[in-house]
Amino acid sequence: MSSPLYERYLRTLKRKQWLIGLARLSVLAAFLFLWELAARLKWIDPMLTSKPSLLWSSFREMATKGSLLHHTWISTQETLAGIVVSMALGTAIAVLFWWSTFASKVLEPYIVVLNALPKVALGPIFYIWLGDRYSVYGMAVAISVIVTIIMVESGFKEISKTKLKLMESFGATKLQMLRMVLLPASVPHFIATLKVNVGLTLVGVVMGEFLSSKAGLGYLIIYGGQVFQMNLVMVSITMLALLSVILYGLVNLLGRYARKKYHHET
Amino acid sequence: MAGHNERLPTSDTAKQPDHIELKRVGLSYFTPRQETEALRDINLSIGKGEFLSIVGPSGCGKSTLLSLISGMLKPTSGTVMIDGVEVSGTSPKVGYMLQHDHLFEWRDVLSNVTVGAEIRRMDRVKARRKAVELLERYGLGEFVRHAPSQLSGGMRQRVALIRTLVAEPDILLLDEPFSALDYQTRLTLSEEVFHIIKDQGKTAVLVTHDISEAISMADRVMVMTKRPSTISSVREIRFDEGEQLSPWSKRQAGRYHDYFNAIWKELEDHVVSVI
Ligand SMILES: Nc1ncnc2c1ncn2[C@@H]1O[C@H](COP(=O)(O)OP(=O)(O)O)[C@@H](O)[C@H]1O
Ligand SMILES: [Mg+2]
């Protein structure tokens, strides 16, 4: 049973949330409207900027006749694979560092250097080693795996020593500590890492496609730029934005589910 | 006292080894900066079912002593024995209870209290049954499916104690288990824990810096000196009012203040000499 005052508080809260959502949509609508208007009234050159109505029609055309969806699908696949591989590899390496202080001490400076190194510089190497298709995966993983290691490792370090001492007092093995404490305690860190990874992996994928690929949204963008087709560029960028929104939303859902399952309060 | 004591008293005509025995135990910590001699020449024996309290200046090595008994630390010199066998590594005979409950927030109360049993790969069904029985017996029956965050501090510590008990140790090591709680909860909980330990027939070693807690719960109180720590004294706590007093009534009992003052005085000497 809640008091009328509390009900009123909830109603105002809800109204505020609605208002924020509405304002967000209005910003997008205003932006598209101004863009269209400016292009039609020749305030800006539509050759250089394209315009929303044109984007929509080229989207429909490219989606039905062209291969836009195919390219989007390629990039999606690359991104998903990149995320999964960097999460798995990064977590595995972080676990190794926790398991063996020696390994962690030995490899620490290399991680620092690799983290600071601009991964784009590795592009040609990946191209030569992995070819035009797999170099994209290489770039995606290269960009996100180091950050994954660092974030997951720092999550492990935050877990209190005495929690592990408690496990030790029951005679727990390292594997049991990992399974029963480190991994479940790190759920919030995994979610945070995943969020960062979505963004980074997309950067890696697009970068990889820029450099070498013959398919994907990054390739379309570069190609569109070369043949001076602003429509193609803009539509591809929009698809990229959509892709990141969807992935981000999925991670959020997953995060909410995992938090609930593991009782981690937000 | 212990109902499930497997030792047959008749078969043992020779002197029975003490339950816990420390012989000339010393421990030093080594860090790159320095060597810290925490304990020096500790000789101590604790009988089955006994309750021993340890007080001493902070940083003198009380937790270290418990770690030695639990087998998580090896002594630099001397030996630690449990039931006549030298301790090497952790043993199912020993249960540890720490200052913080460290309940796992991703598990509900029931699967928290079975953590020890799970690690030790004890029979799952039996452990569960025992857990539920203990939770019900000690007033947590309705919280079996609750998340730890839904419990009060005192309840969480009780859950932590039950977690230790489910693993069926003979010996309980309690390292300042009440010091994170407010005064009132502390009093109630120490009373409850005392009864649970006696009820379960366990041997207990309690580290505390609360002198009245030490006196009211224990059969003997051991005072330690500052580092490198040795045993300053071990006192039998006996009251004319009777053998089976609860901590609460011990606090009212006649000789309580004498004990308190004596231990206070002794500790004061050690603390002052540190400064
Ligand atoms: N792992 C460790 N490494 C180095 N020194 C330690 C370590 N643990 C404890 N010490 C030192 O040993 C001494 C005793 O510690 P401890 O047993 O925790 O004391 P108490 O529990 O009585 O407060 C302290 O001076 C402490 O700084
Ligand atoms: Mg201590």
Side-chain angles (χ1 to χ4, degrees):
Chain A
M1 271 285 104
S2 47
S3 69
L5 228 54
Y6 182 61
E7 301 267 346
R8 208 171 74 193
Y9 163 81
L10 283 183
R11 269 203 306 280
T12 0
L13 204 67
K14 208 169 239 168
R15 204 164 56 226
K16 262 188 199 145
Q17 271 164 352
W18 265 103
L19 219 61
I20 290 171
L22 198 68
R24 278 179 184 161
L25 282 178
S26 318
V27 168
L28 183 65
F31 172 71
L32 293 175
F33 176 75
L34 278 177
W35 184 2
E36 182 75 34
L37 195 71
R40 287 199 181 189
L41 299 179
K42 302 281 181 208
W43 297 344
I44 53 179
D45 182 357
M47 270 293 282
L48 295 179
T49 61
S50 186
K51 58 185 177 184
S53 57
L54 206 60
L55 283 186
W56 177 239
S57 54
S58 14
F59 168 77
R60 285 208 325 217
E61 197 187 312
M62 285 158 64
T64 49
K65 293 195 203 114
S67 47
L68 179 68
L69 295 183
H70 168 70
H71 287 288
T72 309
W73 175 234
I74 297 266
S75 291
T76 310
Q77 259 180 335
E78 288 164 347
T79 309
L80 288 178
I83 291 172
V84 169
V85 171
S86 354
M87 282 305 287
L89 193 63
T91 305
I93 294 174
V95 165
L96 171 78
F97 284 178
W98 168 76
W99 200 288
S100 155
T101 330
F102 183 73
S104 127
K105 286 261 154 51
V106 170
L107 296 176
E108 191 185 290
Y110 298 100
I111 293 291
V112 170
V113 171
L114 283 177
N115 186 39
L117 184 81
K119 261 60 79 180
V120 200
L122 302 173
I125 300 181
F126 285 136
Y127 181 64
I128 291 166
W129 286 355
L130 302 171
D132 64 316
R133 191 156 143 65
Y134 291 103
S135 64
V136 178
Y137 294 94
M139 186 61 81
V141 172
I143 284 194
S144 45
V145 76
I146 305 289
V147 173
T148 307
I149 297 172
I150 292 172
M151 284 184 74
V152 172
E153 203 191 2
S154 82
F156 285 173
K157 281 189 182 145
E158 253 173 53
I159 295 167
S160 89
K161 283 254 171 10
T162 25
K163 232 176 198 131
L164 295 177
K165 185 174 174 187
L166 170 86
M167 293 291 288
E168 198 191 335
S169 79
F170 284 120
T173 60
K174 280 213 134 171
L175 197 63
Q176 283 174 322
M177 290 187 193
L178 181 69
R179 193 170 53 77
M180 293 171 72
V181 178
L182 268 87
L183 295 181
S186 296
V187 164
H189 278 95
F190 285 133
I191 302 300
T193 312
L194 205 53
K195 270 185 194 163
V196 172
N197 257 345
V198 167
L200 284 181
T201 312
L202 267 173
V203 171
V205 163
V206 172
M207 198 68 79
E209 288 173 350
F210 275 7
L211 289 174
S212 57
S213 174
K214 303 198 167 34
L217 290 171
Y219 161 77
L220 275 192
I221 291 169
I222 284 284
Y223 174 76
Q226 283 164 353
V227 300
F228 214 80
Q229 279 233 12
M230 283 321 272
N231 287 338
L232 187 54
V233 175
M234 295 282 189
V235 168
S236 304
I237 291 175
T238 312
M239 291 306 283
L240 215 47
L242 270 179
L243 181 57
S244 58
V245 166
I246 290 170
L247 287 178
Y248 206 76
L250 284 179
V251 170
N252 258 340
L253 275 181
L254 187 72
R256 216 171 291 171
Y257 165 78
R259 277 219 164 78
K260 209 170 193 173
K261 178 154 182 236
Y262 289 96
H263 301 282
H264 286 293
E265 312 300 334
T266 30
Chain B
M1 185 185 302
H4 53 273
N5 187 354
E6 286 131 43
R7 188 182 285 279
L8 295 175
T10 46
S11 68
D12 221 357
T13 43
K15 182 182 172 289
Q16 222 176 284
D18 286 300
H19 196 28
I20 306 172
E21 190 163 24
L22 285 81
K23 276 192 217 147
R24 310 197 55 109
V25 167
L27 187 120
S28 297
Y29 286 107
F30 301 120
T31 60
R33 291 174 146 268
Q34 63 191 359
E35 175 181 354
T36 310
E37 188 180 6
L39 299 173
R40 178 187 286 176
D41 199 26
I42 303 285
N43 290 293
L44 173 69
S45 67
I46 304 169
K48 227 180 177 78
E50 191 186 353
F51 199 128
L52 178 81
S53 290
I54 301 176
V55 292
S58 100
C60 75
K62 304 179 294 294
S63 302
T64 306
L65 189 65
L66 292 193
S67 294
L68 284 168
I69 298 174
S70 77
M72 287 193 279
L73 269 182
K74 271 193 184 18
T76 320
S77 60
T79 50
V80 180
M81 314 236 272
I82 291 178
D83 293 332
V85 179
E86 186 166 349
V87 172
S88 61
T90 56
S91 140
K93 284 185 180 171
V94 181
Y96 218 123
M97 191 173 166
L98 304 157
Q99 180 176 345
H100 291 284
D101 53 68
H102 288 301
L103 298 180
F104 299 161
E105 52 270 30
W106 53 89
R107 288 170 172 242
D108 63 15
V109 167
L110 181 59
S111 50
N112 256 295
V113 294
T114 53
V115 156
E118 201 177 318
I119 295 171
R120 296 237 157 91
R121 303 183 200 289
M122 292 161 69
D123 185 329
R124 225 164 233 278
V125 181
K126 245 171 78 184
R128 245 163 200 266
R129 199 178 314 127
K130 169 137 196 170
V132 172
E133 185 195 307
L134 287 171
L135 285 168
E136 268 166 9
R137 180 150 177 189
Y138 300 123
L140 292 157
E142 50 187 305
F143 300 102
V144 165
R145 287 289 165 208
H146 281 51
S149 57
Q150 291 169 291
L151 308 184
S152 70
M155 283 155 88
R156 291 175 65 113
Q157 257 322 13
R158 254 188 293 162
V159 172
L161 176 62
I162 293 172
R163 174 180 58 196
T164 313
L165 292 175
V166 170
E168 305 191 319
D170 300 330
I171 300 163
L172 285 174
L173 306 176
L174 306 120
D175 197 348
E176 310 196 13
F178 313 122
S179 55
L181 304 168
D182 62 82
Y183 186 65
Q184 196 150 12
T185 313
R186 236 179 129 126
L187 278 187
T188 336
L189 192 67
S190 60
E191 182 83 17
E192 282 169 7
V193 166
F194 174 84
H195 288 297
I196 294 174
I197 288 172
K198 287 295 166 195
D199 183 30
Q200 300 283 323
K202 306 291 182 196
T203 308
V205 183
L206 167 77
V207 164
T208 173
H209 45 234
D210 182 334
I211 301 174
S212 50
E213 198 172 280
I215 298 170
S216 64
M217 290 182 80
D219 303 314
R220 286 191 295 163
V221 175
M222 174 170 124
V223 180
M224 294 177 77
T225 67
K226 62 164 175 131
R227 242 175 349 109
S229 198
T230 54
I231 298 176
S232 166
S233 72
V234 182
R235 263 189 195 71
E236 295 264 353
I237 305 293
R238 283 241 176 75
F239 292 101
D240 298 331
E241 283 83 347
E243 288 287 304
Q244 306 292 337
L245 296 182
S246 72
W248 183 257
S249 37
K250 282 187 200 168
R251 285 175 205 257
Q252 333 284 328
R255 232 170 3 234
Y256 169 81
H257 282 287
D258 297 339
Y259 284 131
F260 189 97
N261 290 334
I263 294 172
W264 173 272
K265 181 87 192 24
E266 205 177 320
L267 274 174
E268 204 176 37
D269 292 345
H270 297 308
V271 173
V272 167
S273 59
V274 172
I275 307 163

PDB file of all heavy atoms in Angstrom, chain B residues 29-31 36 38 56-65 175-176 207 227, ligand 1:
ATOM      1  N   TYR B  29      57.244 -13.046   9.347  1.00  0.00           N
ATOM      2  CA  TYR B  29      56.846 -12.707   7.978  1.00  0.00           C
ATOM      3  C   TYR B  29      58.034 -12.092   7.267  1.00  0.00           C
ATOM      4  O   TYR B  29      58.767 -11.296   7.851  1.00  0.00           O
ATOM      5  CB  TYR B  29      55.712 -11.675   7.991  1.00  0.00           C
ATOM      6  CG  TYR B  29      54.383 -12.234   8.397  1.00  0.00           C
ATOM      7  CD1 TYR B  29      53.838 -11.937   9.641  1.00  0.00           C
ATOM      8  CD2 TYR B  29      53.641 -13.023   7.531  1.00  0.00           C
ATOM      9  CE1 TYR B  29      52.595 -12.425  10.026  1.00  0.00           C
ATOM     10  CE2 TYR B  29      52.399 -13.515   7.891  1.00  0.00           C
ATOM     11  CZ  TYR B  29      51.884 -13.217   9.137  1.00  0.00           C
ATOM     12  OH  TYR B  29      50.661 -13.694   9.493  1.00  0.00           O
ATOM     13  N   PHE B  30      58.226 -12.480   6.028  1.00  0.00           N
ATOM     14  CA  PHE B  30      59.300 -11.873   5.256  1.00  0.00           C
ATOM     15  C   PHE B  30      58.707 -11.024   4.146  1.00  0.00           C
ATOM     16  O   PHE B  30      57.896 -11.498   3.354  1.00  0.00           O
ATOM     17  CB  PHE B  30      60.176 -12.963   4.639  1.00  0.00           C
ATOM     18  CG  PHE B  30      60.779 -13.878   5.670  1.00  0.00           C
ATOM     19  CD1 PHE B  30      60.515 -15.236   5.651  1.00  0.00           C
ATOM     20  CD2 PHE B  30      61.597 -13.370   6.673  1.00  0.00           C
ATOM     21  CE1 PHE B  30      61.076 -16.079   6.605  1.00  0.00           C
ATOM     22  CE2 PHE B  30      62.151 -14.205   7.636  1.00  0.00           C
ATOM     23  CZ  PHE B  30      61.891 -15.568   7.603  1.00  0.00           C
ATOM     24  N   THR B  31      59.079  -9.763   4.096  1.00  0.00           N
ATOM     25  CA  THR B  31      58.711  -8.914   2.974  1.00  0.00           C
ATOM     26  C   THR B  31      60.014  -8.285   2.480  1.00  0.00           C
ATOM     27  O   THR B  31      61.005  -8.273   3.208  1.00  0.00           O
ATOM     28  CB  THR B  31      57.718  -7.811   3.392  1.00  0.00           C
ATOM     29  OG1 THR B  31      58.330  -6.997   4.397  1.00  0.00           O
ATOM     30  CG2 THR B  31      56.430  -8.392   3.937  1.00  0.00           C
ATOM     31  N   THR B  36      59.387  -9.420   9.831  1.00  0.00           N
ATOM     32  CA  THR B  36      58.572  -9.134  11.000  1.00  0.00           C
ATOM     33  C   THR B  36      58.430 -10.400  11.822  1.00  0.00           C
ATOM     34  O   THR B  36      57.857 -11.380  11.354  1.00  0.00           O
ATOM     35  CB  THR B  36      57.156  -8.666  10.574  1.00  0.00           C
ATOM     36  OG1 THR B  36      57.292  -7.643   9.608  1.00  0.00           O
ATOM     37  CG2 THR B  36      56.370  -8.170  11.766  1.00  0.00           C
ATOM     38  N   ALA B  38      56.461 -12.103  14.240  1.00  0.00           N
ATOM     39  CA  ALA B  38      55.139 -11.912  14.828  1.00  0.00           C
ATOM     40  C   ALA B  38      54.991 -12.729  16.112  1.00  0.00           C
ATOM     41  O   ALA B  38      54.556 -12.203  17.132  1.00  0.00           O
ATOM     42  CB  ALA B  38      54.058 -12.297  13.827  1.00  0.00           C
ATOM     43  N   GLY B  56      45.047  -9.233  23.029  1.00  0.00           N
ATOM     44  CA  GLY B  56      46.415  -8.742  22.935  1.00  0.00           C
ATOM     45  C   GLY B  56      46.430  -7.460  22.145  1.00  0.00           C
ATOM     46  O   GLY B  56      45.452  -7.164  21.445  1.00  0.00           O
ATOM     47  N   PRO B  57      47.525  -6.708  22.245  1.00  0.00           N
ATOM     48  CA  PRO B  57      47.600  -5.448  21.511  1.00  0.00           C
ATOM     49  C   PRO B  57      47.383  -5.680  20.018  1.00  0.00           C
ATOM     50  O   PRO B  57      47.727  -6.755  19.519  1.00  0.00           O
ATOM     51  CB  PRO B  57      49.019  -4.949  21.766  1.00  0.00           C
ATOM     52  CG  PRO B  57      49.645  -5.881  22.719  1.00  0.00           C
ATOM     53  CD  PRO B  57      48.744  -7.026  22.980  1.00  0.00           C
ATOM     54  N   SER B  58      46.838  -4.713  19.323  1.00  0.00           N
ATOM     55  CA  SER B  58      46.549  -4.950  17.904  1.00  0.00           C
ATOM     56  C   SER B  58      47.865  -5.066  17.137  1.00  0.00           C
ATOM     57  O   SER B  58      48.844  -4.384  17.443  1.00  0.00           O
ATOM     58  CB  SER B  58      45.647  -3.851  17.365  1.00  0.00           C
ATOM     59  OG  SER B  58      46.393  -2.915  16.674  1.00  0.00           O
ATOM     60  N   GLY B  59      47.902  -5.982  16.192  1.00  0.00           N
ATOM     61  CA  GLY B  59      49.111  -6.232  15.419  1.00  0.00           C
ATOM     62  C   GLY B  59      50.099  -7.142  16.117  1.00  0.00           C
ATOM     63  O   GLY B  59      51.235  -7.284  15.674  1.00  0.00           O
ATOM     64  N   CYS B  60      49.666  -7.796  17.203  1.00  0.00           N
ATOM     65  CA  CYS B  60      50.639  -8.615  17.941  1.00  0.00           C
ATOM     66  C   CYS B  60      50.740 -10.013  17.343  1.00  0.00           C
ATOM     67  O   CYS B  60      51.695 -10.734  17.621  1.00  0.00           O
ATOM     68  CB  CYS B  60      50.277  -8.692  19.417  1.00  0.00           C
ATOM     69  SG  CYS B  60      48.894  -9.758  19.792  1.00  0.00           S
ATOM     70  N   GLY B  61      49.781 -10.420  16.552  1.00  0.00           N
ATOM     71  CA  GLY B  61      49.899 -11.739  15.914  1.00  0.00           C
ATOM     72  C   GLY B  61      48.781 -12.700  16.272  1.00  0.00           C
ATOM     73  O   GLY B  61      48.939 -13.906  16.146  1.00  0.00           O
ATOM     74  N   LYS B  62      47.643 -12.155  16.674  1.00  0.00           N
ATOM     75  CA  LYS B  62      46.523 -13.033  17.041  1.00  0.00           C
ATOM     76  C   LYS B  62      45.959 -13.742  15.813  1.00  0.00           C
ATOM     77  O   LYS B  62      45.752 -14.958  15.819  1.00  0.00           O
ATOM     78  CB  LYS B  62      45.410 -12.209  17.729  1.00  0.00           C
ATOM     79  CG  LYS B  62      45.895 -11.445  18.942  1.00  0.00           C
ATOM     80  CD  LYS B  62      44.809 -10.633  19.602  1.00  0.00           C
ATOM     81  CE  LYS B  62      44.271  -9.481  18.766  1.00  0.00           C
ATOM     82  NZ  LYS B  62      45.242  -8.402  18.509  1.00  0.00           N
ATOM     83  N   SER B  63      45.732 -12.974  14.748  1.00  0.00           N
ATOM     84  CA  SER B  63      45.225 -13.598  13.516  1.00  0.00           C
ATOM     85  C   SER B  63      46.238 -14.597  12.976  1.00  0.00           C
ATOM     86  O   SER B  63      45.878 -15.657  12.461  1.00  0.00           O
ATOM     87  CB  SER B  63      44.948 -12.538  12.452  1.00  0.00           C
ATOM     88  OG  SER B  63      44.023 -11.612  12.926  1.00  0.00           O
ATOM     89  N   THR B  64      47.505 -14.237  13.116  1.00  0.00           N
ATOM     90  CA  THR B  64      48.575 -15.139  12.679  1.00  0.00           C
ATOM     91  C   THR B  64      48.477 -16.482  13.404  1.00  0.00           C
ATOM     92  O   THR B  64      48.591 -17.543  12.779  1.00  0.00           O
ATOM     93  CB  THR B  64      49.940 -14.490  12.956  1.00  0.00           C
ATOM     94  OG1 THR B  64      49.956 -13.206  12.341  1.00  0.00           O
ATOM     95  CG2 THR B  64      51.073 -15.331  12.423  1.00  0.00           C
ATOM     96  N   LEU B  65      48.228 -16.401  14.685  1.00  0.00           N
ATOM     97  CA  LEU B  65      48.116 -17.627  15.481  1.00  0.00           C
ATOM     98  C   LEU B  65      46.979 -18.512  14.959  1.00  0.00           C
ATOM     99  O   LEU B  65      47.121 -19.722  14.811  1.00  0.00           O
ATOM    100  CB  LEU B  65      47.886 -17.257  16.950  1.00  0.00           C
ATOM    101  CG  LEU B  65      47.946 -18.394  17.951  1.00  0.00           C
ATOM    102  CD1 LEU B  65      49.346 -18.976  17.998  1.00  0.00           C
ATOM    103  CD2 LEU B  65      47.537 -17.915  19.339  1.00  0.00           C
ATOM    104  N   ASP B 175      37.847 -15.057  14.405  1.00  0.00           N
ATOM    105  CA  ASP B 175      38.738 -13.898  14.393  1.00  0.00           C
ATOM    106  C   ASP B 175      37.932 -12.607  14.444  1.00  0.00           C
ATOM    107  O   ASP B 175      37.442 -12.135  13.431  1.00  0.00           O
ATOM    108  CB  ASP B 175      39.629 -13.932  13.146  1.00  0.00           C
ATOM    109  CG  ASP B 175      40.827 -13.005  13.279  1.00  0.00           C
ATOM    110  OD1 ASP B 175      40.836 -12.176  14.215  1.00  0.00           O
ATOM    111  OD2 ASP B 175      41.751 -13.105  12.454  1.00  0.00           O
ATOM    112  N   GLU B 176      37.794 -12.063  15.625  1.00  0.00           N
ATOM    113  CA  GLU B 176      37.010 -10.851  15.864  1.00  0.00           C
ATOM    114  C   GLU B 176      35.694 -10.884  15.102  1.00  0.00           C
ATOM    115  O   GLU B 176      35.402  -9.971  14.332  1.00  0.00           O
ATOM    116  CB  GLU B 176      37.814  -9.613  15.460  1.00  0.00           C
ATOM    117  CG  GLU B 176      39.201  -9.631  16.059  1.00  0.00           C
ATOM    118  CD  GLU B 176      39.888  -8.275  16.017  1.00  0.00           C
ATOM    119  OE1 GLU B 176      39.198  -7.285  15.757  1.00  0.00           O
ATOM    120  OE2 GLU B 176      41.098  -8.226  16.265  1.00  0.00           O
ATOM    121  N   VAL B 207      39.406 -14.794  18.955  1.00  0.00           N
ATOM    122  CA  VAL B 207      40.260 -13.614  19.062  1.00  0.00           C
ATOM    123  C   VAL B 207      39.349 -12.402  19.164  1.00  0.00           C
ATOM    124  O   VAL B 207      38.390 -12.279  18.412  1.00  0.00           O
ATOM    125  CB  VAL B 207      41.167 -13.479  17.822  1.00  0.00           C
ATOM    126  CG1 VAL B 207      41.751 -12.083  17.746  1.00  0.00           C
ATOM    127  CG2 VAL B 207      42.264 -14.515  17.873  1.00  0.00           C
ATOM    128  N   ARG B 227      54.523  -7.355  19.890  1.00  0.00           N
ATOM    129  CA  ARG B 227      55.434  -8.070  19.010  1.00  0.00           C
ATOM    130  C   ARG B 227      56.899  -7.927  19.415  1.00  0.00           C
ATOM    131  O   ARG B 227      57.286  -6.830  19.819  1.00  0.00           O
ATOM    132  CB  ARG B 227      55.250  -7.541  17.594  1.00  0.00           C
ATOM    133  CG  ARG B 227      54.791  -8.578  16.654  1.00  0.00           C
ATOM    134  CD  ARG B 227      54.500  -8.040  15.279  1.00  0.00           C
ATOM    135  NE  ARG B 227      54.460  -6.619  15.127  1.00  0.00           N
ATOM    136  CZ  ARG B 227      55.393  -5.927  14.481  1.00  0.00           C
ATOM    137  NH1 ARG B 227      56.443  -6.502  13.995  1.00  0.00           N
ATOM    138  NH2 ARG B 227      55.269  -4.650  14.336  1.00  0.00           N
TER     139      ARG B 227
HETATM  140  N1  LIG C   1      51.093 -11.368   5.133  1.00  0.00           N
HETATM  141  C1  LIG C   1      51.868 -10.607   5.935  1.00  0.00           C
HETATM  142  N2  LIG C   1      53.059 -10.166   5.491  1.00  0.00           N
HETATM  143  C2  LIG C   1      53.853  -9.403   6.298  1.00  0.00           C
HETATM  144  N3  LIG C   1      53.544  -9.040   7.535  1.00  0.00           N
HETATM  145  C3  LIG C   1      52.355  -9.445   8.034  1.00  0.00           C
HETATM  146  C4  LIG C   1      51.451 -10.245   7.260  1.00  0.00           C
HETATM  147  N4  LIG C   1      50.346 -10.490   8.001  1.00  0.00           N
HETATM  148  C5  LIG C   1      50.554  -9.887   9.176  1.00  0.00           C
HETATM  149  N5  LIG C   1      51.748  -9.260   9.221  1.00  0.00           N
HETATM  150  C6  LIG C   1      52.312  -8.525  10.352  1.00  0.00           C
HETATM  151  O1  LIG C   1      52.386  -9.413  11.439  1.00  0.00           O
HETATM  152  C7  LIG C   1      51.957  -8.802  12.626  1.00  0.00           C
HETATM  153  C8  LIG C   1      50.813  -9.590  13.255  1.00  0.00           C
HETATM  154  O2  LIG C   1      49.673  -9.515  12.433  1.00  0.00           O
HETATM  155  P1  LIG C   1      48.259 -10.098  12.856  1.00  0.00           P
HETATM  156  O3  LIG C   1      48.423 -11.531  13.199  1.00  0.00           O
HETATM  157  O4  LIG C   1      47.297  -9.780  11.781  1.00  0.00           O
HETATM  158  O5  LIG C   1      47.942  -9.266  14.170  1.00  0.00           O
HETATM  159  P2  LIG C   1      46.593  -9.153  14.998  1.00  0.00           P
HETATM  160  O6  LIG C   1      45.594 -10.081  14.416  1.00  0.00           O
HETATM  161  O7  LIG C   1      46.971  -9.507  16.380  1.00  0.00           O
HETATM  162  O8  LIG C   1      46.159  -7.738  14.939  1.00  0.00           O
HETATM  163  C9  LIG C   1      51.570  -7.380  12.277  1.00  0.00           C
HETATM  164  O9  LIG C   1      52.624  -6.543  12.619  1.00  0.00           O
HETATM  165  C10 LIG C   1      51.381  -7.425  10.793  1.00  0.00           C
HETATM  166  O10 LIG C   1      51.763  -6.193  10.217  1.00  0.00           O
END
